[in-house]
């Protein structure tokens, strides 16, 4: 049983603070505009970059890494919501993605 909240991509508010926990090459290929990228393996070292008073919507490719990140954040006093289905579901819902590569955004 999960101790944290999970929402679908359609339930994420338009003005949400998005934390993307994928690796940089995945993030650069396609991410939600305005998302902050802190890879899951760097989260313990970089958690102080996050505001404990902000509600973060945590996303990855399919939802596994974001679930682990959400649980970690909640255990350390941060407000986090897991985004079910990840960026794959985001893309399928025809929500906006941008790329840092100059190519059309893709989900990796």
């Amino acid at each position: 049983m999960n101790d944290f909240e999970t929402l679908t991509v359609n339930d994420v508010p338009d003005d949400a603070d998005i934390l993307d926990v994928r690796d940089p090459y995945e993030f650069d290929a396609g991410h939600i505009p305005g998302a902050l990228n802190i890879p899951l393996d760097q989260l313990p070292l970089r958690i102080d970059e996050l505001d404990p008073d902000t509600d973060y919507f945590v996303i990855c490719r399919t939802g596994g890494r974001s679930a682990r990140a959400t649980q970690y954040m909640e255990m350390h006093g941060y407000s986090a919501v897991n985004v079910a289905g990840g960026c794959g579901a985001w893309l399928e819902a025809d929500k906006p993605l941008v790329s840092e590569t100059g190519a059309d955004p893709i989900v990796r």
Side-chain angles (χ1 to χ4, degrees):
M1 185 95 186
N2 295 336
D3 293 348
F4 54 84
E5 185 177 3
T6 298
L7 294 176
T8 69
V9 296
N10 292 318
D11 294 326
V12 175
D14 292 338
D15 62 347
D17 288 289
I18 305 290
L19 174 62
D20 190 320
V21 295
R22 295 177 297 154
D23 290 331
Y25 78 91
E26 295 172 290
F27 183 83
D28 290 348
H31 62 271
I32 298 165
L36 172 64
N37 180 223
I38 299 180
L40 178 62
D41 63 348
Q42 294 178 16
L43 187 58
L45 300 172
R46 296 179 59 192
I47 197 161
D48 289 341
E49 294 176 28
L50 302 175
D51 181 351
D53 296 325
T54 297
D55 297 325
Y56 291 98
F57 292 79
V58 187
I59 198 163
C60 63
R61 184 171 54 90
T62 60
R65 286 176 283 182
S66 60
R68 292 194 304 274
T70 299
Q71 185 174 31
Y72 180 85
M73 291 172 67
E74 289 281 327
M75 287 173 41
H76 288 87
Y78 291 82
S79 176
V81 176
N82 183 43
V83 179
C87 286
W90 192 271
L91 182 64
E92 287 176 14
D94 204 27
K95 291 187 164 277
L97 289 175
V98 294
S99 169
E100 301 298 319
T101 67
D104 288 338
I106 60 171
V107 174
R108 294 183 172 219

